Amino acid sequence: MDFRSIQARFTAQATRTPDAPAVSLDGVKTSYRELDERSDRLARRLVALGAGPERPVVVLLERSPELVVATLAVLKAGSFYVPLHHAYPARRRQQVVDRFERPLLVVDEVSSRGGVPDRCRVVPVEDSGAGVDEVGELGAEGEPGRAAYVMFTSGSTGEPKGVTVTHEGVVGLASDPLWDPEVCRRTLMVSPYAFSMSTFELWVPLLNGGEIVLYPGADLDLAALGEVIARERVTVAHITAGLFRVLAEESPRLVAPLREVMTGGDVVSPTAVARVLEACPDLVVRVMYGATETSLFVTHAPIAAPYRPESGVPIGKPLRDKRVHLLDDRLRPVGDGEVGEIFVGGGLARGYLGQPDLTAERFVVVGGDRLYRTGDLARYRPDGRLDLLGRADDQIKVRGFRVEPGEVEALVAAHPAVRHVAVVVRAVADDKRLVAYVVPSAEVSAEELREHVAGRAPDYLVPAAFVLLAELPLSPNGKIDRHALPEPVGRNGSGVPGTETEEYLCAVFAETLGLRAVGVDDDFFDLSGQSMQAIRMIARIERKTGVSVTIATFYDNPTPAMLAEQIDQERAAPVA
């Protein structure tokens, strides 16, 4: 296999297909030639400002053609990119930036409005580098083991940990024969850029002559997703397991125009797969499994109609350059049909930035082979496919994001009024939610604790509920008895519905949020509502009322009373 750098592979592709579309947003296309030239100009500017091998460039941009230009430019400059999510609280952004010594920060006008982290050298992406062409040749080649990007994930100590992924890992992924050029002809980029799925959405199409179709805007809803897929003739998209389940329940025909829909990031519902394939019998559903530390995907399982739901959905067989071992707690292979922990070899990340002890703990050498210890439990089926069976540790997935309960506990415990805290995951209406159980040392409300965490962490790390207790239950050996922690108590709604629309919306809010009742004046966010629940609710509301509700409208009108007013006004408006 040719393990040249990402930028060399892209340059070769741009030479072969200069006029082919590389990036599309709302029907406006950027060709491979344009992307190559624009990224060259920005790369020269970055080099002039000090970019180079093993030097970071932080990228804080909206999902846009400029994001693709900037990411490619960082690599052409010889640096590695560090993606930041625009929705991160300022403190979280600063935590990431503080891991580096005054890094360059590429931003756009929208992302910089809320302020940028301190200790950065800001580079506006709008300044494409005109006037700096005198900078020397950009090196297209690069060492396979050179850092391509550092992506931050949840860490058990309360600090995010940075995974350093190499060019070899990314090029190996993009070169896998799994990627049929026709299936990946137009790949949807919809995932948050600061998470590992962007590795697939960026580099598989760009290094294979395909086109990236950018989902417009930051707010995702099913109606808008369906419009983009149909209008832009998208051929493949990855949809996280949680959203895939919502889509299957509410709008399974939405993905019918695709050649293939990929899903994963958490346990995939067999019922959801069956509903989608029943509605779209020509579609292939491909279940994917992997991790940031493995340069994304490790295994895949294609599923086609006719399909009968089983007790679980397999995660399949390894990609060409991945090696999967099921080992016991003494790092010995388990027997046929026995449960073991998944260890992965091939195309691994370099390790955790500045954390050699953690790197040594998770990246181990077994029989001369360097392997990543995933913490996931699995066993082989007789047909050679893997079944995922759970975790060997406390790590969980919430809305497709990796969450270390220890990090959430550390965030909550940082509040001065918290004496003890335990965080667990609860299932409500098929959604996973974090619940924090707190023993306070001083008077404090659940809302104060929520605001405290929300100001320091991404929304997927903010517990959906805070339960105040006099003490945490203990097991006979003195450890926290997590099974004895009480279920969060529901609430009686505030405000009585006065119209049929309000009554319906109160019922939908309560059902989706797992509450006994919701009043017309109860706020979705005060009730710990989260984005996946909002997407589910919007789909149900549109189907019942016939009124199209955008995610922005929902967020601007987060109570049943406010939303009912918008819906009733839309119904009463004269037809143009």
PDB file of all heavy atoms in Angstrom, residues 386-405:
ATOM      1  N   LEU A 386     -18.526 -10.304  14.211  1.00  0.00           N
ATOM      2  CA  LEU A 386     -18.437  -9.976  15.637  1.00  0.00           C
ATOM      3  C   LEU A 386     -19.753  -9.430  16.156  1.00  0.00           C
ATOM      4  O   LEU A 386     -20.424  -8.631  15.488  1.00  0.00           O
ATOM      5  CB  LEU A 386     -17.350  -8.921  15.863  1.00  0.00           C
ATOM      6  CG  LEU A 386     -15.904  -9.388  15.955  1.00  0.00           C
ATOM      7  CD1 LEU A 386     -14.980  -8.176  15.885  1.00  0.00           C
ATOM      8  CD2 LEU A 386     -15.656 -10.161  17.242  1.00  0.00           C
ATOM      9  N   ASP A 387     -20.103  -9.839  17.386  1.00  0.00           N
ATOM     10  CA  ASP A 387     -21.204  -9.241  18.130  1.00  0.00           C
ATOM     11  C   ASP A 387     -20.622  -8.385  19.249  1.00  0.00           C
ATOM     12  O   ASP A 387     -19.775  -8.852  20.024  1.00  0.00           O
ATOM     13  CB  ASP A 387     -22.102 -10.313  18.746  1.00  0.00           C
ATOM     14  CG  ASP A 387     -23.163 -10.818  17.793  1.00  0.00           C
ATOM     15  OD1 ASP A 387     -23.577 -10.041  16.907  1.00  0.00           O
ATOM     16  OD2 ASP A 387     -23.578 -11.985  17.922  1.00  0.00           O
ATOM     17  N   LEU A 388     -21.068  -7.129  19.349  1.00  0.00           N
ATOM     18  CA  LEU A 388     -20.633  -6.242  20.416  1.00  0.00           C
ATOM     19  C   LEU A 388     -21.526  -6.474  21.627  1.00  0.00           C
ATOM     20  O   LEU A 388     -22.760  -6.451  21.519  1.00  0.00           O
ATOM     21  CB  LEU A 388     -20.734  -4.785  19.949  1.00  0.00           C
ATOM     22  CG  LEU A 388     -20.063  -3.711  20.796  1.00  0.00           C
ATOM     23  CD1 LEU A 388     -18.561  -3.943  20.869  1.00  0.00           C
ATOM     24  CD2 LEU A 388     -20.359  -2.333  20.218  1.00  0.00           C
ATOM     25  N   LEU A 389     -20.918  -6.671  22.811  1.00  0.00           N
ATOM     26  CA  LEU A 389     -21.684  -7.116  23.976  1.00  0.00           C
ATOM     27  C   LEU A 389     -21.635  -6.164  25.163  1.00  0.00           C
ATOM     28  O   LEU A 389     -22.273  -6.444  26.177  1.00  0.00           O
ATOM     29  CB  LEU A 389     -21.183  -8.498  24.423  1.00  0.00           C
ATOM     30  CG  LEU A 389     -21.264  -9.599  23.361  1.00  0.00           C
ATOM     31  CD1 LEU A 389     -20.629 -10.870  23.876  1.00  0.00           C
ATOM     32  CD2 LEU A 389     -22.713  -9.846  22.974  1.00  0.00           C
ATOM     33  N   GLY A 390     -20.908  -5.071  25.078  1.00  0.00           N
ATOM     34  CA  GLY A 390     -20.864  -4.153  26.217  1.00  0.00           C
ATOM     35  C   GLY A 390     -19.455  -3.672  26.478  1.00  0.00           C
ATOM     36  O   GLY A 390     -18.570  -3.761  25.617  1.00  0.00           O
ATOM     37  N   ARG A 391     -19.232  -3.190  27.691  1.00  0.00           N
ATOM     38  CA  ARG A 391     -17.951  -2.601  28.056  1.00  0.00           C
ATOM     39  C   ARG A 391     -17.289  -3.368  29.187  1.00  0.00           C
ATOM     40  O   ARG A 391     -17.946  -3.943  30.055  1.00  0.00           O
ATOM     41  CB  ARG A 391     -18.145  -1.153  28.530  1.00  0.00           C
ATOM     42  CG  ARG A 391     -18.566  -0.185  27.461  1.00  0.00           C
ATOM     43  CD  ARG A 391     -17.448   0.124  26.493  1.00  0.00           C
ATOM     44  NE  ARG A 391     -16.274   0.716  27.132  1.00  0.00           N
ATOM     45  CZ  ARG A 391     -15.149   1.003  26.483  1.00  0.00           C
ATOM     46  NH1 ARG A 391     -15.041   0.751  25.200  1.00  0.00           N
ATOM     47  NH2 ARG A 391     -14.127   1.545  27.112  1.00  0.00           N
ATOM     48  N   ALA A 392     -15.949  -3.346  29.166  1.00  0.00           N
ATOM     49  CA  ALA A 392     -15.172  -3.912  30.260  1.00  0.00           C
ATOM     50  C   ALA A 392     -14.862  -2.864  31.316  1.00  0.00           C
ATOM     51  O   ALA A 392     -14.291  -3.172  32.352  1.00  0.00           O
ATOM     52  CB  ALA A 392     -13.870  -4.501  29.723  1.00  0.00           C
ATOM     53  N   ASP A 393     -15.235  -1.589  31.039  1.00  0.00           N
ATOM     54  CA  ASP A 393     -15.003  -0.511  32.005  1.00  0.00           C
ATOM     55  C   ASP A 393     -16.263   0.338  32.092  1.00  0.00           C
ATOM     56  O   ASP A 393     -17.337  -0.072  31.661  1.00  0.00           O
ATOM     57  CB  ASP A 393     -13.785   0.331  31.596  1.00  0.00           C
ATOM     58  CG  ASP A 393     -13.918   0.905  30.180  1.00  0.00           C
ATOM     59  OD1 ASP A 393     -15.053   1.014  29.672  1.00  0.00           O
ATOM     60  OD2 ASP A 393     -12.879   1.262  29.590  1.00  0.00           O
ATOM     61  N   ASP A 394     -16.148   1.542  32.658  1.00  0.00           N
ATOM     62  CA  ASP A 394     -17.311   2.390  32.913  1.00  0.00           C
ATOM     63  C   ASP A 394     -17.650   3.324  31.753  1.00  0.00           C
ATOM     64  O   ASP A 394     -18.628   4.071  31.828  1.00  0.00           O
ATOM     65  CB  ASP A 394     -17.081   3.245  34.172  1.00  0.00           C
ATOM     66  CG  ASP A 394     -17.008   2.391  35.434  1.00  0.00           C
ATOM     67  OD1 ASP A 394     -17.643   1.322  35.446  1.00  0.00           O
ATOM     68  OD2 ASP A 394     -16.308   2.796  36.375  1.00  0.00           O
ATOM     69  N   GLN A 395     -16.848   3.316  30.701  1.00  0.00           N
ATOM     70  CA  GLN A 395     -17.095   4.256  29.606  1.00  0.00           C
ATOM     71  C   GLN A 395     -18.444   3.967  28.953  1.00  0.00           C
ATOM     72  O   GLN A 395     -18.850   2.814  28.827  1.00  0.00           O
ATOM     73  CB  GLN A 395     -15.978   4.153  28.574  1.00  0.00           C
ATOM     74  CG  GLN A 395     -16.022   5.219  27.501  1.00  0.00           C
ATOM     75  CD  GLN A 395     -14.937   4.987  26.464  1.00  0.00           C
ATOM     76  OE1 GLN A 395     -15.204   4.490  25.388  1.00  0.00           O
ATOM     77  NE2 GLN A 395     -13.703   5.338  26.819  1.00  0.00           N
ATOM     78  N   ILE A 396     -19.135   5.027  28.530  1.00  0.00           N
ATOM     79  CA  ILE A 396     -20.446   4.882  27.913  1.00  0.00           C
ATOM     80  C   ILE A 396     -20.511   5.750  26.661  1.00  0.00           C
ATOM     81  O   ILE A 396     -19.627   6.567  26.407  1.00  0.00           O
ATOM     82  CB  ILE A 396     -21.581   5.281  28.883  1.00  0.00           C
ATOM     83  CG1 ILE A 396     -21.358   6.703  29.414  1.00  0.00           C
ATOM     84  CG2 ILE A 396     -21.708   4.289  30.009  1.00  0.00           C
ATOM     85  CD1 ILE A 396     -22.444   7.206  30.335  1.00  0.00           C
ATOM     86  N   LYS A 397     -21.557   5.553  25.878  1.00  0.00           N
ATOM     87  CA  LYS A 397     -21.823   6.392  24.725  1.00  0.00           C
ATOM     88  C   LYS A 397     -23.150   7.115  24.956  1.00  0.00           C
ATOM     89  O   LYS A 397     -24.145   6.487  25.303  1.00  0.00           O
ATOM     90  CB  LYS A 397     -21.913   5.560  23.445  1.00  0.00           C
ATOM     91  CG  LYS A 397     -20.581   5.033  22.930  1.00  0.00           C
ATOM     92  CD  LYS A 397     -19.757   6.147  22.334  1.00  0.00           C
ATOM     93  CE  LYS A 397     -18.504   5.634  21.659  1.00  0.00           C
ATOM     94  NZ  LYS A 397     -18.777   4.987  20.375  1.00  0.00           N
ATOM     95  N   VAL A 398     -23.146   8.429  24.758  1.00  0.00           N
ATOM     96  CA  VAL A 398     -24.350   9.242  24.858  1.00  0.00           C
ATOM     97  C   VAL A 398     -24.487  10.016  23.557  1.00  0.00           C
ATOM     98  O   VAL A 398     -23.594  10.784  23.186  1.00  0.00           O
ATOM     99  CB  VAL A 398     -24.293  10.211  26.063  1.00  0.00           C
ATOM    100  CG1 VAL A 398     -25.510  11.121  26.069  1.00  0.00           C
ATOM    101  CG2 VAL A 398     -24.217   9.429  27.364  1.00  0.00           C
ATOM    102  N   ARG A 399     -25.597   9.780  22.829  1.00  0.00           N
ATOM    103  CA  ARG A 399     -25.838  10.457  21.544  1.00  0.00           C
ATOM    104  C   ARG A 399     -24.677  10.252  20.574  1.00  0.00           C
ATOM    105  O   ARG A 399     -24.364  11.113  19.759  1.00  0.00           O
ATOM    106  CB  ARG A 399     -26.114  11.938  21.764  1.00  0.00           C
ATOM    107  CG  ARG A 399     -27.440  12.216  22.468  1.00  0.00           C
ATOM    108  CD  ARG A 399     -27.443  13.510  23.222  1.00  0.00           C
ATOM    109  NE  ARG A 399     -26.966  14.615  22.419  1.00  0.00           N
ATOM    110  CZ  ARG A 399     -26.531  15.754  22.915  1.00  0.00           C
ATOM    111  NH1 ARG A 399     -26.502  15.931  24.223  1.00  0.00           N
ATOM    112  NH2 ARG A 399     -26.122  16.733  22.132  1.00  0.00           N
ATOM    113  N   GLY A 400     -24.014   9.093  20.683  1.00  0.00           N
ATOM    114  CA  GLY A 400     -22.918   8.779  19.778  1.00  0.00           C
ATOM    115  C   GLY A 400     -21.566   9.289  20.232  1.00  0.00           C
ATOM    116  O   GLY A 400     -20.555   8.995  19.606  1.00  0.00           O
ATOM    117  N   PHE A 401     -21.521  10.037  21.343  1.00  0.00           N
ATOM    118  CA  PHE A 401     -20.266  10.593  21.838  1.00  0.00           C
ATOM    119  C   PHE A 401     -19.732   9.750  22.991  1.00  0.00           C
ATOM    120  O   PHE A 401     -20.488   9.308  23.858  1.00  0.00           O
ATOM    121  CB  PHE A 401     -20.456  12.041  22.312  1.00  0.00           C
ATOM    122  CG  PHE A 401     -20.916  12.973  21.229  1.00  0.00           C
ATOM    123  CD1 PHE A 401     -22.161  13.580  21.297  1.00  0.00           C
ATOM    124  CD2 PHE A 401     -20.120  13.246  20.137  1.00  0.00           C
ATOM    125  CE1 PHE A 401     -22.589  14.441  20.304  1.00  0.00           C
ATOM    126  CE2 PHE A 401     -20.538  14.102  19.137  1.00  0.00           C
ATOM    127  CZ  PHE A 401     -21.773  14.704  19.220  1.00  0.00           C
ATOM    128  N   ARG A 402     -18.430   9.568  22.993  1.00  0.00           N
ATOM    129  CA  ARG A 402     -17.788   8.835  24.073  1.00  0.00           C
ATOM    130  C   ARG A 402     -17.796   9.673  25.354  1.00  0.00           C
ATOM    131  O   ARG A 402     -17.399  10.837  25.350  1.00  0.00           O
ATOM    132  CB  ARG A 402     -16.355   8.510  23.671  1.00  0.00           C
ATOM    133  CG  ARG A 402     -15.621   7.621  24.642  1.00  0.00           C
ATOM    134  CD  ARG A 402     -14.149   7.537  24.316  1.00  0.00           C
ATOM    135  NE  ARG A 402     -13.877   7.287  22.925  1.00  0.00           N
ATOM    136  CZ  ARG A 402     -12.654   7.071  22.460  1.00  0.00           C
ATOM    137  NH1 ARG A 402     -11.613   7.104  23.266  1.00  0.00           N
ATOM    138  NH2 ARG A 402     -12.457   6.855  21.182  1.00  0.00           N
ATOM    139  N   VAL A 403     -18.228   9.074  26.445  1.00  0.00           N
ATOM    140  CA  VAL A 403     -18.324   9.791  27.715  1.00  0.00           C
ATOM    141  C   VAL A 403     -17.687   8.958  28.815  1.00  0.00           C
ATOM    142  O   VAL A 403     -18.025   7.790  29.000  1.00  0.00           O
ATOM    143  CB  VAL A 403     -19.794  10.088  28.083  1.00  0.00           C
ATOM    144  CG1 VAL A 403     -19.891  10.674  29.491  1.00  0.00           C
ATOM    145  CG2 VAL A 403     -20.419  11.046  27.075  1.00  0.00           C
ATOM    146  N   GLU A 404     -16.754   9.556  29.517  1.00  0.00           N
ATOM    147  CA  GLU A 404     -16.192   8.959  30.726  1.00  0.00           C
ATOM    148  C   GLU A 404     -16.962   9.521  31.917  1.00  0.00           C
ATOM    149  O   GLU A 404     -16.899  10.724  32.188  1.00  0.00           O
ATOM    150  CB  GLU A 404     -14.707   9.317  30.861  1.00  0.00           C
ATOM    151  CG  GLU A 404     -13.814   8.788  29.750  1.00  0.00           C
ATOM    152  CD  GLU A 404     -13.376   7.358  30.007  1.00  0.00           C
ATOM    153  OE1 GLU A 404     -13.840   6.782  31.012  1.00  0.00           O
ATOM    154  OE2 GLU A 404     -12.583   6.839  29.207  1.00  0.00           O
ATOM    155  N   PRO A 405     -17.729   8.685  32.648  1.00  0.00           N
ATOM    156  CA  PRO A 405     -18.458   9.211  33.809  1.00  0.00           C
ATOM    157  C   PRO A 405     -17.554   9.948  34.786  1.00  0.00           C
ATOM    158  O   PRO A 405     -17.982  10.917  35.430  1.00  0.00           O
ATOM    159  CB  PRO A 405     -19.058   7.950  34.442  1.00  0.00           C
ATOM    160  CG  PRO A 405     -19.201   6.993  33.305  1.00  0.00           C
ATOM    161  CD  PRO A 405     -18.006   7.259  32.416  1.00  0.00           C
TER     162      PRO A 405
END
